[in-house]
Amino acid sequence: MGLALTKPHHEEGDRVLVAGRPNYNRCDNMIVTSKYTAWSFLPVAVGEQFRRFANMYFLIVGIIMAIGYYSNLYESAISPWTTLGPLAFVISVSLLVEGLADMKRHQSDDQTNNAICVVLRRRDEIDEEEGATRDETILGGKDVIVNLSKEYFQTSSNQTPPTPKSPSFQNKTKHLAHIGFQQIKRMDIRQGHIVFIKNREMVPADIILLASSGDNGCAYIETSSIDGETNLKLRNSPHLPPKLLKHLRDGTPMDQIPDEPDDEGPVVMETVEQATKRVTRFSSLAYPEGISAVDHPEYKNKGNACEGESKRNILGSVLSPKSAKGSEFFRSSLNIGAPSDDGKIHYIAALTSEPPNPHVNTFSGKLTLPPVEPNGNCIDIPLGAENILLRGAVLRNTEWAIGLSCFTGTDTKLVQNSFQTPSKFSQLDKLMNKCVAIIIMVMVLCISYLATSAVIQWDRHFDELWYIGFKRDTTGPWPYLQGLESIQWSNSSQNWFQMFFLYVTLLSNFVPLSMYVTVEMINFFFLWLMYVDMEIYDAKTDTRAVARSTNVTDLGQVQYIFSDKTGTLTQNVMRFKRCSVDGTIFGPPVQKARPDADALETDLQSAFHPLRQLLVGHVTTGDDGTNLTPSKEMTFNAEMFLRVMSLCHTVVVEKDLDLKDSVDDAKSVSSAGSSWSAKNYAKKFFPTHKNRDRTTSDMSAHSGNMPLEPVSEEPGQVLSSDNNRSRAVSTGSTFQSVTVEKGPDGAPAGFAYQAESPDEGALVSEASKCFGFQVIGRDSSGIKLRCDHPTVFGDKGLVAGLKSGSLSPKKLAADTATGRTTLDRTEVEGSVKDSNGVRTETWEILAVNKFDSDRKRMSILLRSPPEFGRVAILFCKGADSAMLDPSVCAACSTVFSGVISDDAEKSQQLSSVDESEDEATEWEMSQMLGIQSHLGEFAKEGLRTLVLGIRFLTDTQCEQWLQTYRDAATSMKDRDGMMKKAAIEIESDLHVVGATAIEDKLQTGVPNTIATLGKAGIKLWVLTGDKRETAIEIGYSTRVLTPRMHLTEVSDKGAEFVRAQCAMEFMRLVKAGKLPLYQRAAVDQSDDSWSWANALFVLGKSFRSCFRSYRKVIVNFKLYMRNLLGFDTKQLEDTLLILEAEQEDEDKKLRDVVRRRNVRNRAEKIIKEYGESNSFAPRARVTSPSAEVEAELSTDDLPPVFNRAQSAKSLLERRISGGRVSGTDKRNLSLLELTAQQVEHGHETVLEEDLLSLNSFYPTSGEATTDFDKRRRTVLERLFAVDRDVRKGRLVKHLKKEKRDKFLSDDHHDHITPSGEGPRALVIEGAALKHLLGDHELEELIFNIASHCQAVIACRVSPRQKALLVKLVRQHVVPEPVTLAIGDGANDVGMIQEAHVGVGISGKEGKQAVNASDFAIAQFRFLEDLVLIHGRWDFMRLATVVLFSFYKNAVMAGCLVVYNGETLFSGTPLFNQWIIAVLNFVAGIPILFFGMFDRCLEKDYIRKNPDVLQPTRQNELITLRILFRWVLLAFAHIFILYYGSLPQLSGPGGMTSAFDGLMRNKDTIGDGSSSDLQSVGTVIFTSMVLLLAYKVLYEHRSIINGSWPALCGFRKNAKEGFFSRLPYTWYGITYGSIFFYIAFLFIYQKIATKGPGEYFQIIGVPPHIFGSSSLNYISMLFVPIFGMAFDLAGKVFSNMFFPTQTQIHVELESRENAERKKKSRNQGQETNVNGFETQDV
């Protein structure tokens, strides 16, 4: 996001704002993500460039060269411009790239800050402001006239308004306020502004909702950019207290009204005009001179923070210079606190809020309104998180909203949660810096040696240097020319420092400047390759992979991946997939098993039926005995199951304002029969107009040519033409509609279901779309349901039995499923039908028990419609662990008696089945065993499961509980606890009707990608904001979790419990030998003895302390200078705070042994204290506290759902094997035959689901029958047995003898037995993390637990906690691993920026994650190619490029060092200085092409063998062994080049012309003479260029991407395109290196011949070496070959005896390719032979 973190500040009290009065003393609404300004770019950006060690090095060396070149202090061997010129070019390019990137940030900031928003302002203020414009889309640009003679709590009267010419109107003019809707820039919004927001607009600031187009001022927002959740959230505007509402409605004095009146008043919907008038009357829009309500003399709730705050706000609003923009009239006319024109002092509303903080899920504040009675007190309305719209949220499905801006800019919660964009350095950059430091150290040693040798040699041979003017006897003559006049002799040579600086200039190229340029160019090419890679391109969204950072090589070294869930792993699309009703599964299985799933984990799937068969009741056989006829009546459980789906929820039906096209009323839900509340208030607030619909926004203007006129206060005058619509929601039983159409989610056409939970939305949607139970409305009268199925409530006797309690749902379910009882399902008398004959039901809502984390279920008490007998029914749904508890489920008390047993072994099993049971009990037993077995299957598929149940209550039971409920709801003490007890009381003795399985649809390829990354050795942590159950289900669906894993769930049950649970798990790992460094023998060793580890720890701590002190000195100096010059010092002050924090952390650092000892002791202390505390109730069978705590907190038991499912399946098999054929089995068989008949006779369209259903009833292999002996079957069983298991011989008596004896003798407990050594997984909640993070010892403890888990899932974590978890891994893993964070929402920005590599997904949650990331992709599956292909290739290439860059400069500098021994260490260079300068180009082009195009392994091989990533993660190419090889090779090549060339080329005689002279028996000038320094040096340099070119070829794994020659791209069998198969490296060597070098020599000579200058030494050298000496060709041919022979011998030896992992894979791939070619060639030959034979015939 690029936003700076808000630094810790002094504790700030509550803030007070005056409604409608902007506060200019507080921050504006501008957000800045750019790094530079026009003034700061050059100094700051240039300073950033010199953070690179090499740039600073070359700058210093360039300055040293310039001083020596242009002064007499010392000599410079080389011109400074050979270094400063390239350095200036490199920095200029980097500045250009940085400037362009920051320009894009500025453009993004401008677009964000200059977005148009709308605020409410007085007309006179708008008119006075120059350039102010009104929003023409709101009321046609007209102002709203507000009658100030009315109070804010009064409504409009129905009296005829006065005309403008009447005297009464003239008298009222001064009591009118004209309010307009002004357009301003988003950055100009201030705290206190009243803001107007339209549908689909982003909320521009943190705003308190005051009004909206929704019922009672509610609004829906999408917060995906904040918390990652895409489901809409409901926000409410603050409501007046019920006591005040009753006073305003009937005039009852306030002191006579009880504290909690029952009457809550009707549902109210406002128009824009009405909301504007209401808000205006209690804000400063009405009374600019008004006083804050908190300053009212009778106000008693004034806090310290409020005193005088409102006055300061007023002064800030008026006197701030920033308020000059458009506020001249306001400032000049305002007289705060003065009486108004009517002589009254008016008090206006004030907002008291908490100070800015990053907590996005909480808010605390109050809205203080003026008194409603003359002597009354002010009214405080409490505000919470449900009343605030956060910046970044999007208004959805709400036409408009009006709110009070409370936090702006950096005070908003979104910005408070943002992190400062870090400067990321890749691991390769760090390695490069380390290598540069080592090279500089080696260079300093070489320079010191050369300087010392020079001083010694010059002193020894000083008198022999007379020919250059050196002589101790300054008066003596020339040694051999006695008669020649003596000169001024120099009697002293250069000192050591002068020689040192001389050699600094000579060996400056020890550090390769070109390396950084080459790396940058290669990186940018990598970014382009990612962009054009079609395999990571999403065609559906037309999104390419985009690289926003050059840290490409870190992708190839990733060890930890931190992933968000919603929108990253999943699509956040909930789909109803399967269900279990009457012991039968409906719906095909969802196969998501990843490729490496253990075969033991894949059990045979249970048989299932198509979903549509759920609507089938009893199946009857025709007269012919073959034709099956399904009944139209559903079974009792099926109908109740669908009614729970469609009625047990909090879903509301809202007009779908997001539809682009208006929906015809005739095809939607008519409002003709709406309830009294909606109808009456629609008539009152929305006068009827023709051809108007709710879908048309009342903010649009249809009268484009109408004059701008105000909206009158009275209803009789000109009004907006759109405040006249009725609420188009079905709200009554008298529903009438012509046709019924459904929207995409199953809601009536033009409407949409709005659910707080996506699971609820999926259930309601599927009940409507697939099964015909359509919810069409929800209001105070109840839930409106449209259904066209026969119902059990049509039987009056049945209804009477259920109502009286005499009829058991258990018996009713069994009878309807088996067909033993036929119900009278004739048309219900008094039922309401529409024109299509579809029945409409109104279910009265009596009470709602909301979901909570303790109960893990929700329920709703409804009364059936009058035509259904007004039966009180409790509908309940919840987690399986909560619904199948014996205290909740009636049937479970006998089936699952061990569920809550204190015995840990029995708690995982099901009890045995009572053999003596009636038919109803038998049916219920089969159903419950089936549900439990099916829940295990659903969980293995990763589906989100819910168990559904009902309970019928008598009228007496209902009234008694409702009284308990009302008492709890009105209690002022422990209301939540009493409500929970009331819910638990009624949620008992439930009849379970079925279980649902909802798929949170994964993105394509997620399981395969996770499996592949796991094979590559990468650990995946899932960090999500979802609840724990949801996170676990997704873990199973992605196969991050498996049923065989030991799951450790850490939930927030208090700090003591969480810490004790983690401590126990930690000690379990220690005792199991998983953490040997924390065992007592290891931590008790003495830490005072000397060791290398202790010495390095002390040295490191001292070095860091010294460096930190140095930084403090620099920062303090800069701070002093900025204060002196009056510049901003905030950034430097923040830096000082960071340094102090680093010092505190440094002081806490301990030696490893001491730290581990403290962690272990802390864990043991926590366990001991918890065992001794009162919070633990000891059991009789446990004697020691530690063992007791172990049994309570940490266990090896597997998730109980899988063990219970396994046990249930075993019991079912035993019942069948024992010959007990249940009604469930018979019903399964009848449904199977029905499906087969439909498929065979084509009664239904044959679907894949039907075929899968039929196949599921037949075994897929013979493994299931290997334990049975088919010879034991009787003839009768074979011919006449109906049951398949009997017919197939799968009873106990059919078992083989040994199997039968074992079955009859053993006590079967078929639960999964944990081994203790199996894989483990950790699931931890964010609330529990709060008790661990921040404490270094507890952080290390939890990390050790997590590091030994194969999977880690953190749920309910905040954005900050996500970043802290990433930081936790970076701090505690040694060496620090490369981390990657991937997400798609603003809540993922923190962890994306904290990780080494941040990947953003272009999803549905905005672009914040993409903008803050290093790389952006469209799908999670593309991460596989991003890491394994691009990351690995890029690291392998760049690692070789870096090593080669150091190597080439070391070879060149080594030749200079060796040659100086021949020149008496005078500093004379062997090569021409400008030829030295061109080395970085002629030797850089080949390695540049190598870095761009080399591919050591192909994509297909890498995908099949993801473990090839291991070498890059282990820095295989930059290990000490590899570095030693390069160093040894550099020395060898230095000596080969120097001694293989210089002695032969510099000796006298033997030199002849290459193409003339002695070779042709001719006498040619120059024959027999030795070469000069420039010629010899150039020849050696040429040999070095060729040697370096050969070295690149031998390092290249794919010399060409195809076959030689260069034009192989035209081959027909090429796999890739022409340009992908060109031999780029050959082109680089041939043209970019050799040809360019030769051309440069002749051009250089040509320039030198133009006139005298420093280039004259090169004149004649190129013709001489290339045209006058044949020995030069011999040298240039064989010396590089000898050099490469040494290298080749080393490579052969290494690959044969010590191969790297990469080399092994290269050989394996080569073998596979050879076999593939051979196979292809053989097939081609067979084809040719067969073709020839055919022709012969």
Side-chain angles (χ1 to χ4, degrees), residues 1215-1226:
R1215 288 166 62 87
I1216 295 174
S1217 300
R1220 298 174 64 94
V1221 181
S1222 65
T1224 302
D1225 301 319
K1226 298 176 182 177

Side-chain angles (χ1 to χ4, degrees), residues 1363-1434:
L1364 291 176
L1365 285 173
V1366 177
K1367 187 176 182 180
L1368 180 72
V1369 172
R1370 294 185 59 174
Q1371 288 180 341
H1372 288 86
V1373 178
V1374 179
E1376 180 180 343
V1378 177
T1379 56
L1380 182 148
I1382 180 170
D1384 69 325
N1387 58 327
D1388 304 316
V1389 169
M1391 72 171 182
I1392 285 176
Q1393 294 181 340
E1394 181 64 35
H1396 294 88
V1397 181
V1399 179
I1401 291 185
S1402 304
K1404 301 178 181 179
E1405 300 184 15
K1407 296 293 184 181
Q1408 288 86 347
V1410 171
N1411 293 337
S1413 64
D1414 301 308
F1415 305 93
I1417 55 179
Q1419 297 285 333
F1420 181 84
R1421 59 190 170 91
F1422 295 152
L1423 188 64
E1424 178 181 338
D1425 277 6
L1426 197 67
V1427 172
L1428 297 182
I1429 308 298
H1430 290 280
R1432 185 185 177 279
W1433 278 354
D1434 298 347

Side-chain angles (χ1 to χ4, degrees), residues 1473-1524:
Q1473 61 179 358
W1474 288 103
I1475 293 181
I1476 293 177
V1478 85
L1479 171 71
N1480 289 326
F1481 188 87
V1482 297
I1485 292 297
I1487 198 62
L1488 174 66
F1489 279 72
F1490 170 92
M1492 289 181 176
F1493 301 105
D1494 182 50
R1495 294 191 293 191
C1496 59
L1497 294 172
E1498 294 299 322
K1499 290 183 179 181
D1500 293 338
Y1501 184 86
I1502 296 176
R1503 293 192 183 103
K1504 289 190 300 183
N1505 303 276
D1507 53 315
V1508 298
L1509 192 68
Q1510 294 283 355
T1512 61
R1513 292 172 52 231
Q1514 298 170 358
N1515 289 334
E1516 181 185 80
L1517 294 182
I1518 313 184
T1519 59
L1520 289 177
R1521 184 178 68 173
I1522 299 298
L1523 288 175
F1524 175 76

